[in-house]
């Protein structure tokens, strides 16, 4: 049922003194758009607490863009923490937006970010707390249209029944088109299903209810989606893709929070897409092609953003900032301008070579705390399998350069459970970490307190990657391999930490399943699962119980390998990278053959440019 | 020619905290003020330490949920500025519920504001059900005991009530029982109105506002921060 649009802040205000971090619920932050005249109202939502959701750049882009449009207003909402949601339920208060404190269920469109697989139960929680009918096909005519977007839409089938539409790819212009389509359809008195049909004709928009799931001998047990009989919708929905990042507003993030949020700084997106071709990386496949923002636009944006926000730190964000063709010039220029003002410039990831270290030094200058690299695998053989085009020599040179530049701490990210991995590859992780520690002692002296921390994640096969057919490690085997690595590391300067195997297993389950996965998500939520990405909230037993209750075995699902020719649950949505390319990359992985980066070499034939009629858009020559 | 005193490089600002933003914590207020200073484009000194930070000092933390019309911060500047112009710029760049109200240039070398401002006046409201005489009787009994015992989180605390509570005027109003408290911060602690009300009346105040802060001279006279 659509709720009335009214300011209900008075109902949550008495609760503020009873909850942790009341500033999550206040609104009125600097830069928030408080005037929300509408008459068409959109609410964009991150399905986690404010402190995690506010820094999300995707939502900031949509918020900024929609609020510039005449007749459309955009507000925000986040999932209240468990203390607040318990009080709200007790007092029958629905989930409210921040700006106008109106019920989320009073909006015309509710847009929800699928940030990662582990937010699935939070989405159920959001809809339940809002009072929006859970299943899209059971919603009343006047209820909000619930739309998904974000990095995890590529296999969103396990949550698809909750969404009226899903936006694939770049959000710029697309949510505006969706809003206009719903607004015009409502104004014309169209039935909900007819508005959905119109939405399905927009670029990058997938409407799950217009597709049936078929299970047959060509598919996995999760089936594949085909247009419902009589529905004129595309068999494959390709993502919406902007051609030039430079055509978009570089300072999208205008809201300055009161409380400390997870990334408490100005973020300027300097490039989108990455063509390095790491075979495990979903973002690398789904954000192609590479589009760089030119240097002058970045400098202007950073200065303007810092001035209007008051932040003392700026992050140059992207999947691989040090790959930007003008990275060195940007960093040197920014440091010259901002260093004396106590403003820090940070880059989220370092390229694993000396250039990466130089850039990190240029960005941080006086704060030489530690550097983070991601070799991902401990042996050259396995790095070739995953197409991580770095060598032991790159690692050694980067480490030496970093220690010579004054760094004393190094953090290395690895994955375990990668396809073809052996115990020897795992021992290679420990060997690499010890070699880096040894280089540190050579450069800094034997008594220097050099530390090398290694963080080892469990590999989760993600859809739309060359490893999408692969199975995940069973829990027992994961624990055994963790033990192998632990035993191999003897240097006291090396510290090892692991990702939780159970959490990764759930991630793997939700990455693999088709639409029937919604039964599991719903059962888990009914079992009390929410905030699954929070270590202190995640409860594997509840997930296990939920799965058993509906006749599923979690390990069996996550560890299943798919046939290379099988029709997959996500074949009907595409980022433009062809399935043929992914299959070829899988075969090359098995053969330990690497594939080059097309921004520095010739085309690798992934299919994005031809399919989406776009191309890499670089601001200069890459080095 | 500039008439600014070249030694007056400390900009002291009085600001308020009210409305929804009364629910901000002290660190959140500090962060917001620092960002407002940067937005206003005011010159400020930067520390030379490991992390280079703005040189700014704040007064004692206001409890979460409490309002105020007498919060202060001192911004250390490389050179003096026109205080009225600085105030205008700050107003333009600060959320209205934390609006700066007054500003003045002071000598650079002064004691830290947090320790210096040791006297506070509070306006406190207890709505419904708390009888004035009962409260006064309870307060007198507490004063006779000399100390307040209370829990902060899960830790038991003790506070010398005689030295930290200077006076308490109670009056009945339409909204409830209104208290005007004068408190003193000592080396051993300072009295929070909610702690006093909880101990004496067994309830939470519905409204707390810091009305003023001063420095208490040895002779008992009060010195205004501005």
């Amino acid at each position: 049922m659509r709720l009335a649009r009214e300011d209900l802040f008075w109902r949550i205000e008495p609760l503020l003194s009873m909850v942790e971090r009341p500033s999550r619920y206040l609104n009125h932050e600097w830069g928030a758009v408080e005037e929300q005249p509408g008459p068409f109202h959109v609410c964009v939502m991150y399905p986690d607490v404010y402190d995690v959701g506010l820094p999300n750049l995707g939502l900031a882009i949509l918020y900024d863009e929609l609020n510039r449009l005449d007749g459309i207003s955009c507000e925000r909402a986040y999932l209240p923490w468990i203390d607040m949601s318990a009080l709200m339920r007790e007092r029958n208060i629905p989930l409210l937006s921040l700006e106008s404190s109106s019920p989320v269920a009073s909006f015309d469109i509710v847009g929800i970010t699928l940030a990662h697989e582990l937010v699935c139960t939070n989405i159920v929680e959001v809809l339940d707390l809002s009072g929006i009918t859970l299943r899209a096909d059971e919603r009343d005519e006047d209820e909000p249209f619930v739309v998904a977007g974000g990095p995890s839409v590529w296999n969103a089938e396990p949550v698809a029944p909750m969404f009226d539409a899903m936006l694939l790819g770049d959000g710029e212009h697309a949510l505006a088109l969706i809003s206009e389509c719903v607004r015009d359809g409502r104004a014309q008195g169209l039935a909900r299903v007819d508005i959905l049909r119109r939405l399905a004709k927009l670029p990058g928009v997938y409407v799950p209810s217009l597709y049936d799931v078929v299970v047959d001998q060509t598919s996995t047990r999760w089936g594949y989606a085909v247009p419902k009989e009589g529905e004129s919708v595309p068999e494959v929905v390709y993502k919406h893709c902007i051609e030039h990042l430079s055509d978009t507003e570089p300072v999208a993030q205008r809201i300055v929070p009161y409380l400390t949020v997870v990334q408490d700084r100005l973020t300027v997106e300097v490039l989108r897409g990455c063509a390095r071709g790491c075979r495990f990386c979903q973002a690398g496949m789904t954000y192609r092609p590479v589009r760089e923002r030119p240097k002058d636009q970045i400098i202007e944006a950073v200065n303007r953003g810092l001035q209007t926000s008051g932040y003392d730190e700026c992050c140059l964000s992207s999947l691989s900032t040090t790959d930007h063709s003008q990275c060195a010039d940007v960093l040197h220029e920014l440091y010259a301008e901002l260093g004396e003002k106590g403003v820090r410039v940070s880059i989220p990831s370092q390229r694993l070579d000396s250039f990466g270290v130089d850039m990190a030094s240029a960005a941080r200058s006086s704060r030489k705390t530690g550097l983070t690299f991601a070799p991902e695998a401990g042996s050259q053989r396995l790095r070739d399998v995953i197409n991580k085009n770095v060598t032991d020599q790159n690692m050694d040179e980067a480490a030496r350069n970093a220690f010579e530049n004054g760094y004393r701490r190094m953090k290395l990210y690895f994955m375990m459970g990668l396809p073809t991995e052996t115990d020897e590859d795992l021992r290679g992780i420990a060997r690499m970490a010890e070699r880096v520690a040894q280089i540190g002692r050579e450069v800094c002296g034997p008594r220097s307190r050099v530390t090398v921390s290694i963080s080892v994640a469990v590999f989760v096969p993600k859809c739309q990657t060359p490893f999408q057919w692969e199975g995940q490690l069973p829990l027992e085997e994961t624990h055994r391999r963790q033990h192998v690595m632990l035993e191999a590391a003897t240097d006291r300067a090396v510290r090892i930490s692991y990702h939780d195997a159970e959490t990764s297993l759930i991630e793997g389950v939700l990455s693999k399943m088709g639409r029937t996965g919604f039964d599991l998500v719903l059962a888990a939520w009914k079992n009390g699962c929410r905030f699954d990405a929070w270590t202190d909230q995640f409860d594997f037993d509840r997930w296990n119980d939920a799965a058993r209750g509906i006749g599923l075995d979690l390990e069996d699902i996550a560890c299943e390998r798919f046939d290379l020719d099988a029709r997959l649950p996500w074949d009907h949505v595409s980022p433009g990278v062809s399935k043929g390319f992914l299959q070829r990359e899988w075969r090359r992985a098995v053969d330990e053959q690497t594939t080059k980066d097309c921004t520095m070499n010739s085309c690798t034939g992934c299919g994005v440019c031809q399919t989406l009629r776009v191309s890499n858009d670089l601001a200069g020559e890459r080095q | 020619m500039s008439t600014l005193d070249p030694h007056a490089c400390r900009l002291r600002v009085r600001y308020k905290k009210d409305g929804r933003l009364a629910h901000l914590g002290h660190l959140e207020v500090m962060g917001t003020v620092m960002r407002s200073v940067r937005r206003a484009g005011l010159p400020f000194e930067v520390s030379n330490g490991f992390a280079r930070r703005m040189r700014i000092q704040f007064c004692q933390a206001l409890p979460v949920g409490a309002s105020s019309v007498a919060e202060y911060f001192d911004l250390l500047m490389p050179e003096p500025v026109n205080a009225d112009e600085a105030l205008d710029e700050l107003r333009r760049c600060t959320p209205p519920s934390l609006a700066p109200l007054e500003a003045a240039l002071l000598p650079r070398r002064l004691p830290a504001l947090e320790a210096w401002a040791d006297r506070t006046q509070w306006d406190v409201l207890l709505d419904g059900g708390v009888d004035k005489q009962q409260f006064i009787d309870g307060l007198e009994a507490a004063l006779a005991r000399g100390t307040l015992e209370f829990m902060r989180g899960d830790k038991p605390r003790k506070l010398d009530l005689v030295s930290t509570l200077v006076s308490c005027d109670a009056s009945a109003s339409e909204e409830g029982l209104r208290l005007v408290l004068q408190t003193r911060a000592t080396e051993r602690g300072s009295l929070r109105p909610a702690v006093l009300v909880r101990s004496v009346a067994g309830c939470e105040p519905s409204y707390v506002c810091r009305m003023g802060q001063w420095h208490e001279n040895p002779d008992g006279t009060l010195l205004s921060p501005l």
Side-chain angles (χ1 to χ4, degrees):
Chain A
M1 193 185 75
R2 179 91 171 256
L3 298 181
R5 184 175 168 79
E6 56 180 329
D7 184 345
L8 293 180
F9 187 74
W10 62 274
R11 293 200 66 194
I12 61 162
E13 193 166 20
L15 312 180
L16 294 175
S17 59
M18 301 153 78
V19 298
E20 205 180 283
R21 307 193 84 177
S23 39
R24 285 170 170 156
Y25 312 104
L26 296 181
N27 177 39
H28 291 208
E29 308 102 310
W30 189 259
V33 181
E34 287 178 32
E35 289 295 314
Q36 294 284 341
F40 191 83
H41 295 278
V42 180
C43 181
V44 290
M45 172 184 291
Y46 192 96
D48 207 311
V49 285
Y50 176 95
D51 359 348
V52 176
L54 184 96
N56 183 273
L57 191 59
L59 283 192
I61 289 169
L62 299 175
Y63 181 84
D64 182 56
E65 186 180 83
L66 289 180
N67 276 316
R68 288 169 190 265
L69 299 177
D70 285 339
I72 297 179
S73 294
C74 182
E75 304 188 30
R76 298 161 295 146
Y78 304 94
L79 183 58
W81 186 240
I82 44 177
D83 54 356
M84 181 59 118
S85 55
L87 289 169
M88 289 170 77
R89 279 205 172 88
E90 199 179 289
R91 288 161 172 76
N92 207 20
I93 304 170
L95 183 60
L96 306 179
S97 67
L98 272 187
E99 280 75 1
S100 68
S101 300
S102 302
V104 168
S106 71
F107 281 76
D108 294 293
I109 290 180
V110 176
I112 299 179
T113 294
L114 296 183
H116 49 81
E117 288 80 2
L118 294 175
V119 295
C120 287
T121 53
N122 281 10
I123 296 169
V124 185
E125 176 79 349
V126 157
L127 295 178
D128 183 72
L129 202 55
S130 303
I132 296 173
T133 306
L134 208 54
R135 290 180 185 271
D137 57 6
E138 292 173 3
R139 274 178 204 138
D140 289 346
E141 282 290 322
D142 64 345
E143 279 195 80
F145 282 77
V146 184
V147 180
S152 276
V153 287
W154 299 108
N155 178 27
E157 286 302 301
V159 289
M162 292 188 281
F163 290 101
D164 292 288
M166 296 179 144
L167 172 61
L168 314 172
D170 299 329
E172 287 98 342
H173 317 315
L175 190 57
L177 287 175
I178 291 172
S179 302
E180 285 162 3
C181 180
V182 173
R183 180 193 62 191
D184 296 347
R186 293 262 205 217
Q188 291 161 20
L190 291 184
R192 195 174 181 94
V193 68
D194 291 322
I195 296 176
L196 291 176
R197 287 183 179 123
R198 281 194 181 180
L199 285 175
K201 295 196 185 313
L202 296 177
V205 178
Y206 163 52
V207 178
S209 61
L210 301 181
Y211 292 75
D212 276 331
V213 175
V214 177
V215 183
D216 61 25
Q217 69 281 5
T218 67
S219 73
T220 70
R221 60 170 145 159
W222 309 114
Y224 57 96
V226 292
K228 272 187 176 165
E229 205 173 319
E231 294 295 348
S232 172
V233 289
E235 283 182 16
V236 176
V237 182
Y238 290 101
K239 77 169 181 182
H240 174 253
C241 186
I242 54 163
E243 271 189 85
H244 306 290
L245 192 60
S246 53
D247 290 345
T248 64
E249 169 56 52
V251 189
Q253 191 191 31
R254 293 171 191 277
I255 297 173
V256 186
Y258 294 116
L259 69 162
T260 305
V261 295
V262 291
Q263 287 143 358
D264 206 5
R265 58 198 175 210
L266 175 73
T267 301
V268 172
E269 187 185 23
V270 296
L271 72 96
R272 193 173 295 177
C274 172
R276 291 211 157 227
C278 300
R279 290 176 178 133
F280 56 84
C281 180
Q282 191 181 46
M285 296 295 156
T286 58
Y287 280 94
R288 294 178 180 211
V290 176
R291 291 147 289 171
E292 291 183 348
R293 210 180 272 292
K295 183 191 90 174
D296 292 346
Q297 195 182 34
I298 296 170
I299 305 276
E300 185 277 332
V302 169
N303 284 317
R304 178 159 54 93
L306 290 171
Q307 212 285 314
T308 54
S309 67
Y311 278 116
D312 62 358
E313 183 174 355
C314 173
C315 174
L316 304 180
S317 161
S318 77
L319 292 172
S320 54
T321 299
T322 40
D323 281 341
H324 192 291
S325 55
Q326 297 168 321
C327 180
D329 291 345
V330 168
L331 287 174
H332 290 137
E333 204 163 312
L334 283 178
Y335 183 68
E337 283 186 38
L338 303 172
E340 287 309 302
K341 296 179 186 170
V343 174
R344 295 184 298 277
V345 179
S346 62
I347 46 179
S349 56
Q350 273 89 50
R351 208 162 92 178
L352 215 173
D353 56 19
S354 287
F355 180 75
V357 178
D358 290 343
M359 292 304 95
S361 301
R364 291 175 190 182
S365 191
S366 64
R367 280 171 58 113
K368 285 180 176 152
T369 47
L371 273 190
T372 304
F373 295 106
E376 310 290 4
S379 70
Q380 191 60 54
R381 185 199 70 79
L382 195 53
R383 283 197 296 276
D384 289 346
V385 169
I386 64 176
N387 203 42
K388 187 82 188 179
N389 282 307
V390 293
T391 61
D392 284 348
Q393 192 185 347
N394 291 142
M395 181 71 247
D396 294 354
E397 284 174 4
R400 187 169 295 280
N401 191 358
F403 290 124
E404 285 171 353
N405 270 284
Y407 293 96
R408 292 291 175 271
R409 280 185 282 157
M410 197 83 74
K411 187 161 190 181
L412 305 177
Y413 284 124
F414 293 95
M415 275 187 283
M416 67 182 334
L418 288 162
T420 78
E421 182 183 81
T422 63
D423 286 2
E424 196 47 31
D425 295 317
L426 293 167
R427 291 187 194 101
I429 292 177
R431 276 200 299 273
M432 179 181 271
E434 290 181 350
R435 209 174 59 242
V436 169
Q438 184 54 33
I439 292 171
R441 287 189 288 264
E442 281 168 28
V443 174
C444 311
R447 289 188 183 175
S448 58
R449 291 181 181 174
V450 166
T451 60
V452 180
S453 303
I454 61 176
S455 173
V456 188
V458 179
F459 165 66
V460 177
K462 294 287 172 95
C463 66
Q464 312 291 357
T465 71
F467 290 163
Q468 63 183 352
W469 295 277
E470 189 61 21
Q472 201 165 327
L473 284 186
L475 285 176
E476 200 177 318
E477 178 61 9
T478 303
H479 293 139
R480 188 194 70 79
R481 293 193 192 189
Q482 286 173 342
H483 194 67
V484 168
M485 194 164 36
L486 205 58
E487 279 198 328
T490 53
D491 192 320
R492 292 178 68 185
V494 174
R495 294 165 188 171
I496 301 180
S497 62
Y498 301 115
H499 280 205
D500 179 53
E502 282 82 11
T503 314
S504 305
L505 191 84
I506 298 301
E507 208 182 321
V509 166
L510 295 169
S511 301
K512 274 237 142 71
M513 293 179 85
R515 204 172 288 187
T516 47
F518 182 57
D519 296 338
L520 174 63
V521 172
L522 199 53
W525 174 77
K526 284 179 179 167
N527 237 7
C529 295
R530 58 216 63 182
F531 290 108
D532 292 305
W534 291 68
T535 313
D536 60 341
Q537 298 296 316
F538 178 76
D539 187 335
F540 186 62
D541 291 340
R542 286 182 177 171
W543 273 97
N544 239 341
D545 292 345
R548 275 199 290 268
I550 54 172
L552 295 174
D553 181 314
L554 295 175
E555 269 193 285
D556 181 48
I557 298 168
C559 303
E560 183 182 8
R561 279 183 151 186
F562 293 152
D563 190 87
L564 206 57
D565 298 318
R567 297 185 74 165
L568 301 171
W570 47 84
D571 276 356
H572 58 295
V573 293
S574 172
V577 173
S578 72
K579 197 170 177 181
F581 172 77
L582 298 178
Q583 287 166 329
R584 195 169 75 230
E585 279 295 290
W586 166 248
R587 294 190 185 99
R588 287 173 71 83
V590 175
D591 292 343
E592 299 170 17
Q593 288 184 333
T594 59
T595 300
K596 299 285 184 195
D597 180 339
C598 69
T599 60
M600 300 183 214
N601 296 279
S602 58
C603 171
T604 54
C606 73
V608 165
C609 296
Q610 294 77 7
T611 305
L612 304 179
R613 295 174 194 278
V614 289
S615 57
N616 289 333
D617 180 26
L618 305 182
E621 190 84 8
R622 285 193 162 191
Q623 48 177 305
Chain B
M1 202 173 106
S2 171
T3 56
L4 297 172
D5 176 356
H7 302 293
C9 290
R10 176 185 292 259
L11 182 73
R12 178 163 292 176
V13 178
R14 179 170 72 90
Y15 65 102
K16 67 174 182 173
K17 181 187 176 211
D18 64 14
R20 293 182 188 192
L21 299 198
H23 295 281
L24 295 186
H26 188 54
L27 287 177
E28 293 163 352
V29 171
M30 286 167 63
T32 303
V33 167
M34 286 193 271
R35 284 170 182 171
S36 300
V37 168
R38 284 183 184 271
R39 285 194 290 265
L42 300 183
F44 55 83
E45 285 189 1
V46 177
S47 67
N48 289 320
F50 175 72
R52 307 193 71 198
R53 296 189 192 285
M54 178 184 294
R55 297 195 66 188
I56 188 167
Q57 298 170 352
F58 289 84
C59 55
Q60 282 205 1
L62 188 66
V64 175
S67 301
S68 176
V69 290
E71 296 305 289
Y72 295 89
F73 70 83
D74 282 359
L75 181 69
L76 298 181
M77 304 176 126
E79 73 267 358
V81 296
N82 181 302
D84 291 337
E85 287 172 12
L87 183 65
D88 285 345
E89 283 306 304
L90 273 173
R91 276 200 189 115
R92 192 177 57 78
C93 298
T94 306
S97 290
L98 292 175
L101 305 170
E102 270 184 284
L105 283 176
L106 299 177
R108 198 177 188 297
R109 288 185 167 273
L110 281 180
L113 194 52
E114 187 179 5
W116 182 83
D118 53 3
R119 278 286 298 270
T120 301
Q121 179 176 316
W122 304 91
D123 182 17
V124 182
L125 187 67
L126 286 67
D127 56 8
V130 182
D131 178 69
K132 179 182 164 186
Q133 193 53 48
Q134 237 174 350
F135 184 85
I136 292 171
D137 292 345
L139 182 60
E140 280 174 359
L143 282 167
R145 287 193 297 274
T147 55
L148 273 187
E149 293 183 13
F150 59 98
M151 299 292 287
R152 180 168 292 167
D154 50 5
K155 289 183 182 162
R157 303 273 167 161
K158 267 188 183 178
L159 186 71
D160 178 357
L161 188 59
V162 178
S163 64
T164 55
L165 179 64
V166 178
S167 67
C168 173
D169 295 330
S171 59
S173 75
E174 278 185 9
E175 301 156 295
L177 184 64
R178 186 170 288 281
L179 310 176
V180 177
L181 301 177
Q182 296 277 354
T183 62
R184 178 186 294 117
T186 69
E187 284 174 359
R188 281 168 293 171
S190 53
L191 177 64
R192 292 185 167 212
V195 168
L196 180 74
V197 170
R198 228 174 276 143
S199 301
V200 172
C203 65
E204 293 293 324
S206 58
Y207 175 74
V208 175
C209 184
R210 180 139 73 183
M211 302 302 292
Q213 293 194 75
W214 300 270
H215 173 68
E216 186 175 18
N217 287 321
D219 63 1
T221 55
L222 300 181
L223 199 59
S224 167
L226 288 167

